[in-house]
Amino acid sequence: MSSDLIIDVSPSEIVIALLEDKKLVELTREKSGAKFAVGDIYLGKVKKIMPSLNAAFIDIGYEKDAFLHYLDMGPQFATLNKFLKIASSNKNKITSISKFHSEPDINKEGKINQLLKIGQKILVQVAKEPISTKGPRLTSEISIAGRYMVLLPFSEKISVSQKIKSNEEKSRLKKLIQSIKPRKYGLIIRTAAEEVRVAELDQELRRLVDKWETTFHKLRRARVPSLIIGEIDRTTALLRDIFHHDFNSIIVNDLSVCNELSDYIGTIKNAKKNLVKHYKGNSPIFEYYGIEKQIKASFGKTVSFKNGSYLIIEHTEAFHVIDVNSGNRSKAGLTQESNAVEVNLAACDEIARQLRLRDMGGIIVIDFIDMQESDNRHKVYEFMRTAMSKDRTKHNILPLSKFCLMQITRQRVRPEEHIETAEVCPVCKGTGEVVPTLLFADELSNKVVYIIKDLDKKKLLLKVHPYVAAYLRKGLKSYQKKWFLKYFKWVRIEVNNSYTFLEYHFFDENMEEIIL
């Protein structure tokens, strides 16, 4: 399986598209200057304690207070709280936590009002980003993620990813980490660490420890609330989590981001730096690589997937419902049962892709086509588990009921990706009446005259919808040729499939948009 990462950088956001075998499977957006991302560590203040929920609301600077449950405070909360008090004081002389005296672990069944008071300062980490009307979800069990491992300050435990199957490799990694890790630090060894040399593991461990130890000085002068350690940007975080040797290319349309990613890849594997390429084309990067078309086809209420079969996807506040339909599909020689099995198996692949693509979380209920035989229901269940094995997000799949309903729970830490694919007519605004095409062409002609004569532009590019482009170029006496014969300047017409029907934009010789 080959993987490609296409990254569209604009002033307002970065959009990241992950392709597997040229098929879009993940789409991630990161707003410029985005805050409260998963992994960010904040110094907050307790605003409200809710004994009935055994939870507290914490002010970390977001418009709504963040939520911290007692069970998310971590066993070492007393030690972390002691560290915060010392680090925040003017007498802060902490240089390492290896000699720091730990407090006993907190009681798993304790009460939050025994540990927190209103107005108290607290060190927390974002576990779930703000979603809908809810503020961020927090944890006080601090962790700092790297490519090969996750660092756990004040913990001594070492655990190895269950996805590493070899017992010998698990034992090797555990012994290596025990020999190089400092005291008072725990580690979770990630799947990517398999077969990695000790020098690379040691290098990353030192980098993660250094990152944590920057808090020693930050906390002394930090105001409440404030960001103490920011997670790396989402582009680099995605690369950290998904990069593997089957990556074909990483293509970016911004030179500075391209150089940053190239340097980051170099820290992982220097020989792979050349995978990162700078896109210099004139067409939008998503348009050029066919991603825009895949987005339009993959989002929306109805999604086709094989031989006329389709899914209907409905979203509610509490959960998502997916209905599998065979459509007008017909295949000679197939019984109703075998036809249902074939469509359901094909639907599993598309559903697994849709969950990743839209980042759907919470409860997902899938209504498969009815199957009478329990063996076939089990076959679909196992196939879905295989299809979902590529999903990095934590999930749980329940077997099909006798009514062929499947329930999936999938962890949601970020808002769901939602793209409206249906377009309101840009001319009639939904009224059903459209301005005559002749008048639209005259409007364009008037603007061309103004740009060429009054603004005196040397070169002019007009980007339009494909249908409008065909109209402007049509025949020997096309509008494009009329403009040339009249003004002696060739107006280049370029197609953009992502534009609405009568949308258009003018660009000068420097490819800067001319705003009229």
Side-chain angles (χ1 to χ4, degrees):
M1 179 187 69
S2 65
S3 299
D4 300 275
L5 209 62
I6 313 296
I7 303 170
D8 181 16
V9 181
S10 67
S12 60
E13 65 178 0
I14 297 177
V15 188
I16 309 156
L18 174 64
L19 279 68
E20 291 180 355
D21 295 329
K22 306 299 180 185
K23 197 168 186 179
L24 181 65
V25 293
E26 288 188 27
L27 190 71
T28 310
R29 294 175 188 274
E30 180 182 11
K31 297 286 183 184
S32 297
K35 297 180 179 179
F36 311 105
V38 172
D40 285 350
I41 299 173
Y42 282 86
L43 178 64
K45 182 170 69 173
V46 179
K47 288 295 290 292
K48 188 186 294 184
I49 294 174
M50 306 291 288
S52 59
L53 298 175
N54 206 13
F57 286 97
I58 314 294
D59 176 18
I60 60 170
Y62 187 66
E63 59 191 41
K64 292 190 176 180
D65 292 336
F67 182 82
L68 174 67
H69 194 274
Y70 181 86
L71 296 177
D72 294 323
M73 294 176 74
Q76 290 85 33
F77 178 78
T79 303
L80 179 67
N81 197 36
K82 178 184 175 183
F83 163 78
L84 176 59
K85 287 179 181 177
I86 297 173
S88 301
S89 69
N90 294 325
K91 297 179 181 179
N92 175 11
K93 294 181 181 179
I94 300 175
T95 56
S96 170
I97 65 169
S98 58
K99 297 179 181 179
F100 193 81
H101 180 69
S102 298
E103 294 293 309
D105 288 358
I106 63 172
N107 183 2
K108 289 182 181 180
E109 298 178 357
K111 300 298 180 182
I112 199 161
N113 52 10
Q114 296 170 345
L115 297 175
L116 296 182
K117 295 177 181 177
I118 293 174
Q120 176 181 336
K121 289 197 291 187
I122 182 171
L123 200 62
V124 288
Q125 187 169 30
V126 177
K128 186 184 287 189
E129 291 179 13
I131 296 173
S132 186
T133 58
K134 299 175 182 176
R137 177 82 183 247
L138 304 177
T139 176
S140 278
E141 196 163 10
I142 305 296
S143 62
I144 301 175
R147 173 161 172 76
Y148 303 125
M149 62 191 77
V150 179
L151 184 73
L152 307 171
F154 306 112
S155 173
E156 292 283 357
K157 69 176 182 180
I158 298 174
S159 56
V160 184
S161 167
Q162 294 299 317
K163 291 183 180 178
I164 298 176
K165 301 300 180 186
S166 168
N167 289 328
E168 290 181 7
E169 180 61 12
K170 284 183 178 180
S171 177
R172 180 189 80 91
L173 288 169
K174 207 159 189 177
K175 286 178 181 177
L176 281 178
I177 294 298
Q178 282 175 335
S179 67
I180 63 175
K181 87 170 185 68
R183 290 183 66 249
K184 303 293 181 182
Y185 286 104
L187 288 164
I188 300 171
I189 304 170
R190 306 182 74 175
T191 312
E194 193 169 9
E195 305 297 338
V196 174
R197 295 176 302 170
V198 65
E200 292 180 64
L201 296 174
D202 185 55
Q203 184 182 11
E204 180 169 274
L205 176 58
R206 290 174 185 274
R207 184 172 56 80
L208 294 176
V209 170
D210 288 344
K211 187 174 181 180
W212 164 249
E213 290 184 352
T214 60
T215 62
F216 298 170
H217 304 295
K218 284 183 180 179
L219 287 170
R220 185 166 55 184
R221 57 178 182 270
R223 294 183 178 181
V224 182
S226 62
L227 177 67
I228 302 300
I229 297 179
E231 174 63 294
I232 56 178
D233 64 85
R234 200 168 291 181
T235 313
T236 312
L238 187 66
L239 264 182
R240 179 191 68 196
D241 294 340
I242 69 173
F243 184 79
H244 53 76
H245 300 298
D246 293 331
F247 252 82
N248 275 357
S249 59
I250 300 164
I251 303 168
V252 196
N253 63 351
D254 182 273
L255 185 58
S256 63
V257 176
C258 179
N259 291 334
E260 285 175 20
L261 293 181
S262 181
D263 291 342
Y264 180 74
I265 293 292
T267 64
I268 298 173
K269 198 168 184 67
N270 194 51
K272 295 286 185 179
K273 284 181 73 173
N274 293 333
L275 288 180
V276 185
K277 297 168 186 173
H278 180 217
Y279 173 74
K280 300 176 182 177
N282 292 326
S283 302
I285 188 169
F286 277 11
E287 185 77 26
Y288 183 81
Y289 287 100
I291 296 169
E292 196 67 47
K293 186 177 180 181
Q294 289 198 54
I295 290 173
K296 294 288 186 184
S298 301
F299 286 85
K301 183 178 177 179
T302 304
V303 179
S304 300
F305 62 92
K306 187 179 180 182
N307 298 334
S309 303
Y310 61 94
L311 305 175
I312 294 178
I313 304 174
E314 297 274 9
H315 307 279
T316 72
E317 184 68 24
F319 62 99
H320 312 272
V321 181
I322 302 176
D323 185 28
V324 180
N325 293 275
S326 60
N328 55 7
R329 181 182 184 281
S330 62
K331 212 169 184 180
L334 286 183
T335 63
Q336 183 177 345
E337 182 78 4
S338 56
N339 181 65
V341 172
E342 187 173 319
V343 172
N344 287 339
L345 292 176
C348 289
D349 278 327
E350 183 59 31
I351 290 168
R353 172 176 170 258
Q354 286 290 329
L355 296 186
R356 291 175 67 189
L357 187 57
R358 302 183 188 217
D359 202 9
M360 292 160 62
I363 301 171
I364 299 112
V365 178
I366 306 165
D367 182 9
F368 285 102
I369 298 172
D370 287 348
M371 296 172 291
Q372 303 302 318
E373 298 178 20
S374 59
D375 287 347
N376 288 335
R377 293 197 291 270
H378 184 71
K379 185 177 181 181
V380 171
Y381 167 65
E382 290 296 335
F383 197 86
M384 177 59 86
R385 290 183 65 188
T386 304
M388 290 282 289
S389 62
K390 300 174 188 174
D391 194 338
R392 303 185 310 280
T393 303
K394 290 180 183 178
H395 58 270
N396 187 34
I397 306 170
L398 297 182
L400 278 74
S401 70
K402 65 178 181 179
F403 300 114
C404 283
L405 295 175
M406 175 185 284
Q407 294 179 64
I408 298 176
T409 57
R410 187 173 182 272
Q411 187 182 32
R412 179 168 64 172
V413 296
R414 295 187 177 95
E416 180 194 341
E417 186 64 44
H418 178 72
I419 296 175
E420 189 59 62
T421 56
E423 298 172 354
V424 175
C425 173
V427 179
C428 73
K429 308 297 182 187
T431 63
E433 296 179 353
V434 185
V435 174
T437 310
L438 184 65
L439 296 183
F440 174 72
D442 286 346
E443 179 186 327
L444 280 180
S445 293
N446 292 335
K447 291 189 176 181
V448 168
V449 174
Y450 174 74
I451 292 169
I452 291 174
K453 285 192 169 185
D454 295 7
L455 300 183
D456 194 26
K457 295 293 182 181
K458 295 176 182 178
K459 291 183 180 179
L460 185 58
L461 168 65
L462 173 60
K463 291 188 179 183
V464 290
H465 187 276
Y467 290 171
V468 176
Y471 178 77
L472 295 174
R473 293 168 177 165
K474 181 184 176 183
L476 294 172
K477 295 183 179 180
S478 68
Y479 278 88
Q480 191 177 30
K481 289 176 182 174
K482 284 179 184 177
W483 294 336
F484 177 72
L485 293 172
K486 195 170 181 180
Y487 309 113
F488 301 107
K489 285 187 181 177
W490 185 255
V491 179
R492 188 156 60 94
I493 297 174
E494 194 174 282
V495 165
N496 192 316
N497 290 318
S498 65
Y499 283 7
T500 53
F501 183 49
L502 295 183
E503 182 181 357
Y504 62 89
H505 297 275
F506 289 103
F507 296 86
D508 62 15
E509 61 271 17
N510 299 317
M511 288 305 295
E512 292 181 359
E513 186 175 353
I514 302 169
I515 308 297
L516 299 175

